[in-house]
Tab-separated table of all heavy atoms in Angstrom:
chain	number	residue	atom	x	y	z
H	324	TYR	N	9.386	33.736	30.120
H	324	TYR	CA	8.861	34.875	29.364
H	324	TYR	C	9.643	36.135	29.721
H	324	TYR	O	10.296	36.228	30.777
H	324	TYR	CB	7.396	35.140	29.706
H	324	TYR	CG	6.398	34.241	29.009
H	324	TYR	CD1	5.817	33.175	29.671
H	324	TYR	CD2	6.023	34.483	27.685
H	324	TYR	CE1	4.888	32.357	29.047
H	324	TYR	CE2	5.090	33.679	27.052
H	324	TYR	CZ	4.526	32.618	27.735
H	324	TYR	OH	3.613	31.808	27.106
H	325	MET	N	9.527	37.139	28.820
H	325	MET	CA	10.019	38.474	29.132
H	325	MET	C	9.276	39.463	28.243
H	325	MET	O	9.158	39.232	27.037
H	325	MET	CB	11.528	38.604	28.891
H	325	MET	CG	12.118	39.879	29.495
H	325	MET	SD	13.819	40.230	28.954
H	325	MET	CE	14.695	38.825	29.602
H	326	PRO	N	8.747	40.556	28.818
H	326	PRO	CA	8.019	41.540	28.011
H	326	PRO	C	8.934	42.222	26.997
H	326	PRO	O	10.157	42.284	27.174
H	326	PRO	CB	7.506	42.543	29.039
H	326	PRO	CG	7.609	41.853	30.360
H	326	PRO	CD	8.748	40.902	30.242
H	327	ASN	N	8.332	42.775	25.970
H	327	ASN	CA	9.073	43.411	24.890
H	327	ASN	C	10.046	44.470	25.399
H	327	ASN	O	11.223	44.478	25.039
H	327	ASN	CB	8.084	44.046	23.908
H	327	ASN	CG	8.774	44.906	22.860
H	327	ASN	OD1	9.485	44.413	22.012
H	327	ASN	ND2	8.551	46.216	22.925
H	328	ARG	N	9.570	45.374	26.234
H	328	ARG	CA	10.432	46.468	26.679
H	328	ARG	C	11.581	45.965	27.536
H	328	ARG	O	12.702	46.486	27.474
H	328	ARG	CB	9.592	47.490	27.445
H	328	ARG	CG	10.351	48.728	27.887
H	328	ARG	CD	11.149	49.386	26.796
H	328	ARG	NE	10.397	49.701	25.592
H	328	ARG	CZ	10.918	50.299	24.533
H	328	ARG	NH1	12.206	50.633	24.519
H	328	ARG	NH2	10.178	50.544	23.467
H	329	ALA	N	11.346	44.927	28.319
H	329	ALA	CA	12.424	44.352	29.131
H	329	ALA	C	13.459	43.662	28.244
H	329	ALA	O	14.655	43.672	28.545
H	329	ALA	CB	11.856	43.371	30.148
H	330	ARG	N	13.027	43.072	27.149
H	330	ARG	CA	13.980	42.440	26.224
H	330	ARG	C	14.908	43.488	25.632
H	330	ARG	O	16.116	43.267	25.495
H	330	ARG	CB	13.224	41.700	25.110
H	330	ARG	CG	12.393	40.540	25.612
H	330	ARG	CD	11.811	39.680	24.488
H	330	ARG	NE	10.783	38.776	25.006
H	330	ARG	CZ	10.430	37.626	24.449
H	330	ARG	NH1	11.020	37.224	23.345
H	330	ARG	NH2	9.473	36.883	24.976
H	331	ILE	N	14.350	44.622	25.285
H	331	ILE	CA	15.170	45.705	24.744
H	331	ILE	C	16.165	46.193	25.794
H	331	ILE	O	17.355	46.380	25.508
H	331	ILE	CB	14.268	46.856	24.267
H	331	ILE	CG1	13.461	46.423	23.042
H	331	ILE	CG2	15.085	48.113	23.959
H	331	ILE	CD1	12.413	47.429	22.595
H	332	ALA	N	15.696	46.402	27.016
H	332	ALA	CA	16.559	46.911	28.082
H	332	ALA	C	17.677	45.922	28.419
H	332	ALA	O	18.843	46.310	28.565
H	332	ALA	CB	15.731	47.214	29.330
H	333	THR	N	17.340	44.643	28.542
H	333	THR	CA	18.353	43.654	28.932
H	333	THR	C	19.374	43.429	27.823
H	333	THR	O	20.570	43.311	28.085
H	333	THR	CB	17.692	42.316	29.302
H	333	THR	OG1	16.898	41.840	28.209
H	333	THR	CG2	16.814	42.457	30.528
H	334	ALA	N	18.913	43.369	26.585
H	334	ALA	CA	19.832	43.131	25.471
H	334	ALA	C	20.772	44.319	25.276
H	334	ALA	O	21.989	44.145	25.128
H	334	ALA	CB	19.041	42.863	24.192
H	335	GLY	N	20.199	45.519	25.281
H	335	GLY	CA	21.031	46.698	25.120
H	335	GLY	C	22.064	46.834	26.223
H	335	GLY	O	23.210	47.211	25.984
H	336	PHE	N	21.661	46.514	27.444
H	336	PHE	CA	22.582	46.620	28.581
H	336	PHE	C	23.741	45.644	28.428
H	336	PHE	O	24.901	45.993	28.680
H	336	PHE	CB	21.831	46.352	29.882
H	336	PHE	CG	22.660	46.581	31.113
H	336	PHE	CD1	22.763	47.846	31.665
H	336	PHE	CD2	23.344	45.538	31.715
H	336	PHE	CE1	23.546	48.068	32.795
H	336	PHE	CE2	24.119	45.750	32.844
H	336	PHE	CZ	24.225	47.024	33.389
H	337	LEU	N	23.456	44.422	28.032
H	337	LEU	CA	24.518	43.426	27.925
H	337	LEU	C	25.557	43.833	26.887
H	337	LEU	O	26.767	43.802	27.155
H	337	LEU	CB	23.933	42.058	27.548
H	337	LEU	CG	24.976	40.933	27.451
H	337	LEU	CD1	25.404	40.481	28.838
H	337	LEU	CD2	24.433	39.743	26.652
H	338	VAL	N	25.080	44.239	25.713
H	338	VAL	CA	26.005	44.528	24.621
H	338	VAL	C	26.719	45.852	24.819
H	338	VAL	O	27.949	45.940	24.641
H	338	VAL	CB	25.260	44.528	23.271
H	338	VAL	CG1	26.208	44.906	22.133
H	338	VAL	CG2	24.659	43.159	23.000
H	339	LYS	N	25.987	46.892	25.191
H	339	LYS	CA	26.583	48.221	25.230
H	339	LYS	C	27.174	48.571	26.603
H	339	LYS	O	28.275	49.120	26.690
H	339	LYS	CB	25.527	49.262	24.831
H	339	LYS	CG	24.992	49.069	23.407
H	339	LYS	CD	26.053	49.307	22.365
H	339	LYS	CE	25.558	49.054	20.947
H	339	LYS	NZ	24.472	49.936	20.524
H	340	HIS	N	26.469	48.275	27.685
H	340	HIS	CA	26.990	48.644	28.998
H	340	HIS	C	28.096	47.698	29.475
H	340	HIS	O	29.082	48.142	30.077
H	340	HIS	CB	25.863	48.684	30.037
H	340	HIS	CG	24.995	49.892	29.925
H	340	HIS	ND1	24.084	50.057	28.916
H	340	HIS	CD2	24.899	51.010	30.710
H	340	HIS	CE1	23.472	51.227	29.059
H	340	HIS	NE2	23.946	51.815	30.141
H	341	LEU	N	27.903	46.411	29.215
H	341	LEU	CA	28.909	45.441	29.680
H	341	LEU	C	29.880	45.032	28.583
H	341	LEU	O	30.851	44.337	28.853
H	341	LEU	CB	28.204	44.199	30.249
H	341	LEU	CG	27.275	44.446	31.438
H	341	LEU	CD1	26.725	43.115	31.958
H	341	LEU	CD2	27.992	45.191	32.562
H	342	LEU	N	29.608	45.457	27.357
H	342	LEU	CA	30.442	45.095	26.203
H	342	LEU	C	30.657	43.587	26.135
H	342	LEU	O	31.780	43.080	26.079
H	342	LEU	CB	31.779	45.830	26.246
H	342	LEU	CG	31.817	47.208	25.578
H	342	LEU	CD1	33.198	47.826	25.690
H	342	LEU	CD2	31.390	47.137	24.110
H	343	ILE	N	29.559	42.872	26.153
H	343	ILE	CA	29.586	41.416	26.024
H	343	ILE	C	28.949	41.043	24.690
H	343	ILE	O	27.914	41.595	24.305
H	343	ILE	CB	28.856	40.745	27.205
H	343	ILE	CG1	29.695	40.930	28.486
H	343	ILE	CG2	28.601	39.264	26.942
H	343	ILE	CD1	29.055	40.391	29.743
H	344	ASP	N	29.572	40.136	24.001
H	344	ASP	CA	29.165	39.710	22.661
H	344	ASP	C	27.676	39.368	22.620
H	344	ASP	O	27.171	38.611	23.451
H	344	ASP	CB	29.991	38.471	22.277
H	344	ASP	CG	29.930	38.148	20.796
H	344	ASP	OD1	28.839	38.291	20.209
H	344	ASP	OD2	30.961	37.732	20.236
H	345	TRP	N	26.969	39.893	21.624
H	345	TRP	CA	25.532	39.649	21.513
H	345	TRP	C	25.216	38.161	21.411
H	345	TRP	O	24.139	37.725	21.816
H	345	TRP	CB	24.951	40.400	20.311
H	345	TRP	CG	25.479	39.963	18.961
H	345	TRP	CD1	26.520	40.504	18.268
H	345	TRP	CD2	24.977	38.899	18.146
H	345	TRP	NE1	26.714	39.841	17.082
H	345	TRP	CE2	25.772	38.847	16.975
H	345	TRP	CE3	23.944	37.976	18.276
H	345	TRP	CZ2	25.571	37.926	15.948
H	345	TRP	CZ3	23.733	37.041	17.267
H	345	TRP	CH2	24.536	37.017	16.118
H	346	ARG	N	26.154	37.366	20.914
H	346	ARG	CA	25.914	35.935	20.779
H	346	ARG	C	25.815	35.239	22.133
H	346	ARG	O	25.139	34.223	22.260
H	346	ARG	CB	27.000	35.297	19.912
H	346	ARG	CG	26.878	35.676	18.441
H	346	ARG	CD	28.091	35.312	17.632
H	346	ARG	NE	29.222	36.176	17.974
H	346	ARG	CZ	30.297	36.328	17.200
H	346	ARG	NH1	30.386	35.675	16.051
H	346	ARG	NH2	31.278	37.123	17.573
H	347	TRP	N	26.483	35.799	23.150
H	347	TRP	CA	26.333	35.247	24.499
H	347	TRP	C	24.890	35.430	24.971
H	347	TRP	O	24.294	34.522	25.549
H	347	TRP	CB	27.286	35.954	25.467
H	347	TRP	CG	28.730	35.588	25.325
H	347	TRP	CD1	29.401	35.286	24.182
H	347	TRP	CD2	29.687	35.508	26.385
H	347	TRP	NE1	30.720	35.034	24.463
H	347	TRP	CE2	30.918	35.161	25.798
H	347	TRP	CE3	29.629	35.717	27.752
H	347	TRP	CZ2	32.086	35.003	26.550
H	347	TRP	CZ3	30.787	35.574	28.511
H	347	TRP	CH2	32.002	35.207	27.918
H	348	GLY	N	24.365	36.611	24.732
H	348	GLY	CA	22.983	36.880	25.141
H	348	GLY	C	21.986	36.053	24.354
H	348	GLY	O	21.030	35.515	24.918
H	349	ASP	N	22.214	35.943	23.049
H	349	ASP	CA	21.307	35.151	22.225
H	349	ASP	C	21.304	33.689	22.680
H	349	ASP	O	20.256	33.050	22.724
H	349	ASP	CB	21.727	35.248	20.759
H	349	ASP	CG	20.859	34.401	19.860
H	349	ASP	OD1	19.648	34.678	19.768
H	349	ASP	OD2	21.379	33.449	19.247
H	350	LYS	N	22.472	33.164	23.029
H	350	LYS	CA	22.540	31.773	23.492
H	350	LYS	C	21.788	31.598	24.810
H	350	LYS	O	21.056	30.616	24.998
H	350	LYS	CB	24.009	31.367	23.689
H	350	LYS	CG	24.217	29.964	24.286
H	350	LYS	CD	23.631	28.877	23.393
H	350	LYS	CE	24.019	27.481	23.856
H	350	LYS	NZ	23.503	27.138	25.192
H	351	TYR	N	21.921	32.561	25.705
H	351	TYR	CA	21.205	32.457	26.982
H	351	TYR	C	19.700	32.516	26.755
H	351	TYR	O	18.940	31.742	27.346
H	351	TYR	CB	21.639	33.576	27.938
H	351	TYR	CG	21.152	33.347	29.354
H	351	TYR	CD1	21.786	32.416	30.173
H	351	TYR	CD2	20.054	34.033	29.861
H	351	TYR	CE1	21.338	32.187	31.470
H	351	TYR	CE2	19.602	33.807	31.144
H	351	TYR	CZ	20.258	32.886	31.953
H	351	TYR	OH	19.800	32.651	33.226
H	352	PHE	N	19.272	33.412	25.884
H	352	PHE	CA	17.847	33.481	25.561
H	352	PHE	C	17.369	32.183	24.922
H	352	PHE	O	16.255	31.719	25.178
H	352	PHE	CB	17.582	34.653	24.612
H	352	PHE	CG	17.380	35.979	25.305
H	352	PHE	CD1	17.852	36.197	26.604
H	352	PHE	CD2	16.729	37.024	24.668
H	352	PHE	CE1	17.672	37.420	27.243
H	352	PHE	CE2	16.538	38.249	25.298
H	352	PHE	CZ	17.010	38.448	26.583
H	353	SER	N	18.202	31.586	24.080
H	353	SER	CA	17.796	30.346	23.416
H	353	SER	C	17.610	29.214	24.415
H	353	SER	O	16.826	28.292	24.186
H	353	SER	CB	18.824	29.938	22.353
H	353	SER	OG	19.999	29.395	22.935
H	354	ASP	N	18.321	29.278	25.527
H	354	ASP	CA	18.182	28.257	26.578
H	354	ASP	C	16.964	28.500	27.454
H	354	ASP	O	16.389	27.554	28.003
H	354	ASP	CB	19.432	28.229	27.470
H	354	ASP	CG	20.657	27.680	26.765
H	354	ASP	OD1	20.494	26.988	25.740
H	354	ASP	OD2	21.778	27.951	27.236
H	355	LYS	N	16.554	29.769	27.595
H	355	LYS	CA	15.545	30.120	28.591
H	355	LYS	C	14.174	30.493	28.038
H	355	LYS	O	13.156	30.189	28.657
H	355	LYS	CB	16.061	31.294	29.442
H	355	LYS	CG	17.299	30.978	30.280
H	355	LYS	CD	16.964	30.029	31.419
H	355	LYS	CE	18.167	29.799	32.327
H	355	LYS	NZ	17.812	28.915	33.459
H	356	LEU	N	14.137	31.168	26.888
H	356	LEU	CA	12.862	31.676	26.384
H	356	LEU	C	11.988	30.543	25.858
H	356	LEU	O	12.401	29.775	24.987
H	356	LEU	CB	13.092	32.677	25.253
H	356	LEU	CG	13.410	34.120	25.629
H	356	LEU	CD1	13.776	34.908	24.370
H	356	LEU	CD2	12.224	34.779	26.333
H	357	LEU	N	10.770	30.474	26.352
H	357	LEU	CA	9.827	29.487	25.833
H	357	LEU	C	9.510	29.753	24.368
H	357	LEU	O	9.249	28.827	23.602
H	357	LEU	CB	8.537	29.517	26.653
H	357	LEU	CG	8.623	29.043	28.108
H	357	LEU	CD1	7.298	29.294	28.810
H	357	LEU	CD2	8.999	27.575	28.184
H	358	ASP	N	9.521	31.011	23.971
H	358	ASP	CA	9.156	31.362	22.602
H	358	ASP	C	10.374	31.645	21.730
H	358	ASP	O	10.260	32.283	20.680
H	358	ASP	CB	8.224	32.581	22.593
H	358	ASP	CG	8.897	33.843	23.153
H	358	ASP	OD1	10.101	33.814	23.471
H	358	ASP	OD2	8.194	34.873	23.281
Side-chain angles (χ1 to χ4, degrees):
Y324 280 102
M325 193 191 297
N327 172 68
R328 184 50 53 179
R330 296 189 193 205
I331 292 173
T333 57
F336 186 86
L337 182 76
V338 177
K339 298 294 177 63
H340 284 73
L341 300 184
L342 272 180
I343 290 176
D344 195 321
W345 64 266
R346 289 167 289 198
W347 287 35
D349 178 63
K350 175 61 171 63
Y351 192 77
F352 275 21
S353 75
D354 290 341
K355 296 290 185 178
L356 277 173
L357 293 173
D358 63 5

